[in-house]
């Protein structure tokens, strides 16, 4: 995770151009799904940052769609949903087949039933 500190600093500064440059370095020199786990944890702990819509971070993690990203995101929204990760999860739901879609919608319903509990981010 050679670029993690550099990436999080760029994300915190909300500099999408710099974030995109660092992601380009990651893709060519240090690419790994481990970045997805770290990014999702970072998003859980920093829900008020502007990550873009979708922005370079979402484009990067979605590169792992159907390669483990959905499960990592599912675990993240169950653990500590944020506005942005729920929006990302909705994108996954929209692209899912029926069995997975039903599982994800069930999780989303459970999350919505827990609004107001500790660990649930809402605005």
């Amino acid at each position: 995770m050679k670029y993690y500190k550099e990436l999080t600093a760029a994300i915190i500064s909300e500099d999408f151009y710099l974030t995109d440059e660092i992601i380009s370095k990651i893709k060519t020199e240090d690419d790994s799904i481990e970045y997805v786990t770290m990014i999702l944890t970072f998003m859980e702990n920093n829900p008020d940052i502007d990550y873009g819509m979708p922005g370079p971070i979402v484009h990067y993690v979605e590169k792992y769609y159907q390669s483990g990203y959905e499960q990592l995101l599912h675990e993240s929204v169950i653990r500590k949903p944020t506005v942005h990760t729920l929006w990302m999860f909705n994108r996954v739901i929209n692209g899912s087949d029926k069995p997975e879609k039903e599982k994800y919608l069930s999780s989303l319903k459970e999350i919505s039933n827990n609004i107001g509990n500790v660990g649930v981010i809402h605005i």
Side-chain angles (χ1 to χ4, degrees), residues 1-3 25-32 35 60:
M1 304 297 91
K2 169 172 153 175
Y3 292 103
K25 288 183 197 177
I26 290 169
K27 286 179 181 178
T28 59
E29 299 174 30
D30 194 37
D31 205 10
S32 168
Y35 273 105
Y60 175 73

Side-chain angles (χ1 to χ4, degrees), residues 59-90:
H59 285 260
Y60 175 73
V61 297
E62 285 182 345
K63 159 189 164 153
Y64 288 98
Y65 183 70
Q66 297 185 336
S67 296
Y69 162 65
E70 303 91 327
Q71 183 60 36
L72 294 173
L73 180 59
H74 187 211
E75 291 167 4
S76 174
V77 296
I78 288 170
R79 189 171 47 247
K80 192 171 180 183
T82 70
V83 170
H84 206 83
T85 57
L86 287 169
W87 173 78
M88 293 163 60
F89 194 53
N90 185 62

Side-chain angles (χ1 to χ4, degrees), residues 2 37 42 44 54 68 72 77 80-81 84 86 92 107 113 123:
K2 169 172 153 175
T37 301
F42 180 84
E44 291 172 21
L72 294 173
V77 296
K80 192 171 180 183
H84 206 83
L86 287 169
V92 167
S107 293
N113 288 338
I123 2 183

Side-chain angles (χ1 to χ4, degrees), residues 7 11 19 23 39 43 51 54-62 88:
L7 179 62
I11 294 169
T19 300
I23 287 174
I39 288 167
M43 294 173 97
Y51 295 96
I57 292 298
V58 173
H59 285 260
Y60 175 73
V61 297
E62 285 182 345
M88 293 163 60

